[in-house]
Amino acid sequence: MKLLDATVDESIFTKHESEVRSYCRNWPTVFSRASGSWITDVHGHNYLDFFAGAGALNYGHNNPILKEALIEYIADDGITHGLDMSTSAKGDFLQTFNDLILAPRGLDYKVQFPGPTGTNAVESALKLARKVTGRESIISFTNAFHGMTLGSLSVTGNSMKRAGAGIPLVHATPMPFDNYFGGVTEDFGWFERVLDDSGSGLNRPAAVIVETVQGEGGVNVARAEWLRALADLCKRRDILLIVDDVQMGCGRTGAFFSFEEAGIVPDIVTLSKSIGGYGLPLALTLIKPEHDVWAPGEHNGTFRGNNPAFVTAATALRTYWADDKLSQEVAAKGDRIATAFNDLCEQYDGLRHRGRGMVQGLVFDEPADAGKVCAAAFGAGLLAETSGPTDAVVKLLPPLTIGNDDLDAGLAILAGAVREVRS
């Protein structure tokens, strides 16, 4: 039955779907089609998508190259569900990932398929770090976001999301993220001090988990030198370093991994969202070989073998990561967004800008204005979300493959929304 153009009674969602739904409240329409950087609702209204599935659609909606590979695989009765059985699709992905991503960067990681989501990858990383070290405590950072399951929530900063757990979230200690004190206090020194102080009450941690750019936390960017110092501290103290690259990996900041700029090599890396290429669920936990101490089946998941996602993931790697063309384009488009944001900051008081590559945030001193700008942008045909603990940041995550004309059109809509809210 064809439903793409069907008229939908919008009350069906409020009547039957849980109150937990969120994005649909800010974008009150029913979407039916999408292509590239555009998404269309059932009324035929087109919207530029600067949300991109919260970073799961780096290559755009229904990317034709990936779609062709997926359709061909399905039409040929390829394996769909494979648990952790060896399949041709998984083998092709593993070989392609090693040849195009790991080997050229001099990275030696074992690949674990922990389950289909980012929080699955984080949970497995935390469990493995504790198993390797025999310690319980994990160090996380202020304003971090790592997922919605209990282990991931324990290392997440957002109080509203943490409260949803309904139980105490233990065995994790937050430390100040880079520039948390606005340069007034050297925040990194606090972490090293409490590690050394026998009176600090801090248990020796198994691992540190960090995002190089905190997307949900408000587009907070860690300096390369801060990340290097963190990696060095972890190495000297025999603490594992976990980099959560679920949203910032797969080219979002320019390089394939967001930590490449800092020149560090984490012990464990988590990937999800755009690693599947097409928006299909897939997550990876990358582990230095000496830390791969799992017993068979000690961590598993029914949908960790999503073979259609292996197909689109491998195709995306061959299409976009055989050279550095996409990385260069991301850098150029990121500069384009930054220029537009800087112009807005010069025109209006109470605005700041921060970001890396194609994750950029426009920060409002008056937090409510960010939501108003996103609402005005939606009315003009643009999807953008807010982020940060007070939702004071308009966060842009356009598809990495967006054309300059569409990018400029979306930035113009956003500028008009700012003008509308501030006039």
Side-chain angles (χ1 to χ4, degrees):
M1 180 182 296
K2 187 175 182 180
L3 294 175
L4 291 178
D5 298 313
T7 300
V8 177
D9 181 357
E10 297 186 25
S11 69
I12 198 73
F13 304 103
T14 56
K15 181 178 180 180
H16 293 290
E17 191 179 359
S18 166
E19 292 299 314
V20 78
R21 65 194 186 280
S22 59
Y23 293 119
C24 59
R25 298 178 187 273
N26 296 325
W27 303 325
T29 189
V30 179
F31 297 104
S32 62
R33 297 171 177 268
S35 178
S37 303
W38 292 87
I39 186 167
T40 304
D41 69 13
V42 293
H43 307 293
H45 301 140
N46 296 316
Y47 300 83
L48 272 167
D49 186 0
F50 278 22
F51 174 65
L57 296 166
N58 281 3
Y59 313 110
H61 292 273
N62 288 303
N63 183 295
I65 299 171
L66 310 186
K67 178 165 61 176
E68 182 180 2
L70 178 61
I71 291 173
E72 181 179 343
Y73 181 78
I74 294 172
D76 199 36
D77 289 335
I79 300 291
T80 296
H81 181 270
L83 293 164
D84 69 357
M85 296 183 291
S86 299
T87 67
S88 56
K90 184 201 283 187
D92 180 53
F93 168 74
L94 284 169
Q95 189 67 60
T96 304
F97 188 68
N98 183 75
D99 291 349
L100 296 182
I101 303 302
L102 298 182
R105 292 163 177 78
L107 298 174
D108 184 15
Y109 287 124
K110 299 289 288 294
V111 179
Q112 177 185 356
F113 300 100
T117 71
T119 199
N120 291 127
V122 170
E123 293 283 356
S124 67
L126 300 180
K127 287 169 63 175
L128 183 60
R130 289 171 169 137
K131 180 178 174 66
V132 168
T133 63
R135 303 175 217 134
E136 296 179 355
S137 177
I138 304 291
I139 298 296
S140 57
F141 290 96
T142 50
N143 290 315
F145 178 80
H146 296 289
M148 297 296 281
T149 48
L150 289 182
S152 300
L153 275 177
S154 74
V155 291
T156 287
N158 186 289
S159 59
M160 182 273 287
K161 291 180 170 61
R162 289 174 63 87
I167 60 171
L169 297 170
V170 296
H171 307 303
T173 303
M175 288 292 166
F177 191 72
D178 191 15
N179 203 38
Y180 181 72
F181 295 114
V184 176
T185 303
E186 184 51 54
D187 41 29
F188 192 86
W190 170 252
F191 181 21
E192 190 157 13
R193 172 70 182 272
V194 296
L195 279 174
D196 290 338
D197 186 353
S198 60
S200 70
L202 179 70
N203 294 327
R204 188 182 179 196
V208 170
I209 185 167
V210 66
E211 304 155 275
T212 67
V213 180
Q214 296 180 325
E216 300 303 308
V219 194
N220 305 310
V221 182
R223 294 166 297 157
E225 55 267 33
W226 186 87
L227 292 168
R228 285 193 290 268
L230 177 62
D232 180 66
L233 178 62
C234 288
K235 185 176 181 179
R236 286 188 281 112
R237 303 305 177 85
D238 191 29
I239 301 168
L240 299 190
L241 177 61
I242 304 168
V243 169
D244 182 343
D245 239 1
V246 167
Q247 187 169 88
M248 297 304 151
C250 302
R252 176 54 58 180
T253 64
F256 186 85
F257 295 109
S258 70
F259 56 81
E260 290 183 55
E261 177 185 314
I264 63 175
V265 180
D267 295 286
I268 302 174
V269 181
T270 61
L271 287 174
S272 187
K273 291 191 182 283
S274 278
I275 189 61
Y278 200 72
L280 298 178
L282 181 64
L284 312 179
T285 306
L286 308 182
I287 309 162
K288 283 187 175 180
E290 62 267 30
H291 302 320
D292 185 22
V293 297
W294 290 117
E298 192 172 9
H299 184 93
N300 57 30
T302 302
F303 294 100
R304 64 194 183 278
N306 186 4
N307 282 251
F310 295 150
V311 172
T312 52
T315 304
L317 295 178
R318 285 191 288 265
T319 303
Y320 296 104
W321 295 102
D323 54 34
D324 64 353
K325 181 181 178 182
L326 182 63
S327 290
Q328 293 179 10
E329 290 178 352
V330 169
K333 292 171 188 174
D335 289 344
R336 208 177 187 98
I337 301 171
T339 297
F341 276 7
N342 287 334
D343 288 345
L344 288 172
C345 292
E346 291 176 1
Q347 292 177 49
Y348 301 97
D349 293 333
L351 269 68
R352 291 171 286 124
H353 159 246
R354 56 184 181 240
R356 264 184 66 195
M358 289 182 70
V359 51
Q360 300 283 336
L362 190 62
V363 188
F364 288 78
D365 286 352
E366 179 55 53
D369 284 353
K372 294 175 183 178
V373 166
C374 285
F378 173 75
L382 178 73
L383 303 189
E385 68 165 340
T386 59
S387 71
T390 60
D391 287 318
V393 183
V394 175
K395 181 177 72 171
L396 298 192
L397 294 170
L400 307 185
T401 54
I402 190 172
N404 284 335
D405 288 346
D406 284 348
L407 182 59
D408 290 345
L411 292 172
I413 291 174
L414 188 67
V418 173
R419 183 168 58 251
E420 178 181 331
V421 170
R422 285 303 183 89
S423 61

